[in-house]
């Protein structure tokens, strides 16, 4: 399928059964107009795209135009949101998927850059002191883990 002119729409579904129901509905409603359904990045046997980006694509032909409907699963959408594709492009541009340990990306940074990262990490957790942290504060838990990892990577064990 060579796409020469297209428009996009985006849907977010709650889970795989809902995605399958949506695909059945699309087949029953638009069968002859559907040119391709691409699920490759959602299959367990296929590697996710750079940066973990995954979605389902439905391509329809309407009045000689190819329209793409991107369908995202809610758990992935919560992580990526609208900026997911931008994150994917940045991961491609900076080859971040080449690291086995994400903290390897910090190798070679000068002291000023490390200091700026530490300030940013401290600002990220400033609104949630550890004494008030609860199990459902996932964002802050991840931010604390990132901050501790930053301290440990740069041998600032007293702060970790």
């Amino acid at each position: 399928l060579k796409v020469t002119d297209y428009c996009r729409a985006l849907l977010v579904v709650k889970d795989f059964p809902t995605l399958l129901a949506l695909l059945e509905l699309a087949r029953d409603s638009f069968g002859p107009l559907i040119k391709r359904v691409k699920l490759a990045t959602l299959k367990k046997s296929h590697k996710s795209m750079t940066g973990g980006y995954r979605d389902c694509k439905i391509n329809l032909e309407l009045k000689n135009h190819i329209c793409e409907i991107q369908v995202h699963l809610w758990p992935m959408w919560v992580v990526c949101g609208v900026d997911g594709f931008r994150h994917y492009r940045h991961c491609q541009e900076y080859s971040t998927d080449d690291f086995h340990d994400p903290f390897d990306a910090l190798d070679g940074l000068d002291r000023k850059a490390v200091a700026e990262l530490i300030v940013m990490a401290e600002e990220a957790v400033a609104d949630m002191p550890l004494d008030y942290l609860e199990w459902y504060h996932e964002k802050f838990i991840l931010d604390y883990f990132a901050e501790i990892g930053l301290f440990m990577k740069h041998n600032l064990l007293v702060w970790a």
Side-chain angles (χ1 to χ4, degrees), residues 113-133:
V114 171
E116 289 174 2
L117 284 173
I118 290 172
V119 169
M120 289 171 55
E122 289 174 346
E123 288 172 355
V125 297
D127 291 337
M128 181 59 68
L130 274 173
D131 292 341
Y132 298 104
L133 194 64

Side-chain angles (χ1 to χ4, degrees), residues 142-156:
L142 293 174
D143 288 343
Y144 271 110
F145 271 107
E147 181 181 33
I148 291 166
L150 183 61
F151 291 150
M152 293 177 72
K153 176 68 177 182
H154 293 285
N155 208 24
L156 301 169

Side-chain angles (χ1 to χ4, degrees), residues 33-121:
L33 302 175
I34 296 175
K35 298 302 174 189
R36 176 176 71 173
V37 174
K38 189 172 180 184
L39 287 165
T41 60
L42 290 176
K43 293 179 181 175
K44 185 177 181 179
S45 60
H46 287 71
K47 185 178 176 186
S48 66
M49 295 171 71
T50 303
Y53 187 82
R54 293 177 179 260
D55 65 9
C56 168
K57 291 179 179 67
I58 304 169
N59 294 120
L60 304 157
E61 186 172 357
L62 300 170
K63 297 184 180 180
N64 296 320
H65 293 275
I66 298 297
C67 299
E68 179 179 278
I69 302 171
Q70 293 179 357
V71 184
H72 297 267
L73 297 171
W74 177 251
M76 291 295 294
W77 184 255
V78 169
V79 173
C80 296
V82 175
D83 293 328
F85 190 73
R86 185 170 52 107
H87 171 74
Y88 157 73
R89 296 295 297 208
H90 286 162
C91 288
Q92 266 191 325
E93 182 178 349
Y94 300 112
S95 301
T96 59
D97 283 5
D98 293 344
F99 301 114
H100 295 291
D101 177 354
F103 291 106
D104 288 347
L106 304 174
D107 287 343
L109 293 179
D110 62 26
R111 294 177 70 85
K112 181 180 177 190
V114 171
E116 289 174 2
L117 284 173
I118 290 172
V119 169
M120 289 171 55

